[in-house]
Amino acid sequence: MAELVGVYASSHGPMIVRSWPTIAPKWKDTLTAAFAELGRRIKAARPDVLVVISPDHWVNFSMDNLPSICVGVGEEHDGPPEPWFKEFPHRKIAGHPQLAGHIVEQALVHDFEPSVSYKLALDHGFCIPLWKAGIDPLPPIVPVVFNDLEPPFPAVRRCYAWGTMVADAIASFPGKLRVAVLGTGGLSHSIGEPTMGAIDEAFDRECIRRFEAGDPPALFEFLNRRLPAAGNGAAEVRNWVAAHGAARGKGFDLIKYDPIPDVYVGCGFASWKV
Ligand SMILES: [Fe+2]
């Protein structure tokens, strides 16, 4: 049987890469240290496969076709298509069709109806944390795309349930695999709207406190109330909620949080005990 060996979360703001040369040295040091610690923890868990939950930033999907949840079930995926992210060394990223297929099968048994893709382009949401954390060589990736971009969003409690379902699917996978889960996105940020660049530090710190408290119903109530007013990028906290679900809502351990104006994002990094 496969084993869940780690659960992690990371911000992925595109300016972390696109604007790197102009970021203040203090914040570069902060981000470098946080990603390094995230990478150290992931590598220490020695995963054979990473299940990475991220939004799609209009790369694979559009308003013509916007699935709530899509699982990448193919043999391989494409590297980031963003023209400013050419440095990412992996233009092809191996998938793990067996585990991905098993997760989809278990999802259907447990009242989810995810869409699937046999070839996803993995944009900065997937690739910034993997690259900056120094996860090289990359293990095969099972990409899971959540719609955090445009309503209707998946309900917060369903994101948590997705995470627990994934943990159960890993436990029932008939193969000897070490599997880690990484949720990427958030915390608060505001992109392409009148509050562009605003970071809601109070929201972010309360999110962290609630992840630490490990009380899922209280977390859902808080997010349902506060998410809509924390900037459109805060919708990506759903991916942290899925990670929280994979860790059964307990054992949250913050690596670092800082509201970093140079990248327009409340940047958070965390792991859970599993
Ligand atoms: Fe994003």
Side-chain angles (χ1 to χ4, degrees), residues 55-98:
D56 174 79
H57 301 83
W58 308 121
V59 164
N60 296 284
F61 305 117
S62 71
M63 294 301 281
D64 292 346
N65 180 11
L66 195 55
S68 280
I69 300 178
C70 179
V71 180
V73 296
E75 295 278 356
E76 68 176 19
H77 312 285
D78 289 332
E82 291 94 333
W84 44 265
F85 203 2
K86 288 273 186 287
E87 293 162 272
F88 186 73
H90 311 282
R91 305 323 298 179
K92 296 289 178 193
I93 298 168
H96 199 290
Q98 297 80 12

Side-chain angles (χ1 to χ4, degrees), residues 241-266:
V241 173
H244 199 51
R248 317 286 179 186
K250 59 181 191 302
F252 181 82
D253 182 21
L254 183 71
I255 294 171
K256 188 72 177 149
Y257 169 76
D258 281 287
I260 302 187
D262 297 27
V263 299
Y264 291 5
V265 174

Side-chain angles (χ1 to χ4, degrees), residues 117-139:
S117 168
Y118 283 81
K119 193 163 200 177
L120 287 168
L122 304 188
D123 69 19
H124 69 272
F126 289 91
C127 295
I128 284 181
L130 298 173
W131 187 44
K132 298 295 271 186
I135 312 296
D136 193 6
L138 271 185

Side-chain angles (χ1 to χ4, degrees), residues 221-237:
E221 186 278 326
F222 166 72
L223 290 175
N224 287 334
R225 183 164 40 84
R226 284 286 279 110
L227 261 183
N232 55 3
E236 296 176 346
V237 171

Side-chain angles (χ1 to χ4, degrees), residues 106-166:
Q106 289 303 303
L108 292 167
V109 170
H110 292 96
D111 302 325
F112 286 96
E113 290 80 27
S115 62
V116 299
S117 168
Y118 283 81
K119 193 163 200 177
L120 287 168
L122 304 188
D123 69 19
H124 69 272
F126 289 91
C127 295
I128 284 181
L130 298 173
W131 187 44
K132 298 295 271 186
I135 312 296
D136 193 6
L138 271 185
I141 305 290
V142 174
V144 177
V145 174
F146 274 16
N147 168 30
D148 305 318
L149 270 274
E150 192 67 31
F153 298 124
V156 169
R157 68 177 174 77
R158 294 285 286 162
C159 296
Y160 183 89
W162 177 269
T164 60
M165 183 280 296
V166 166

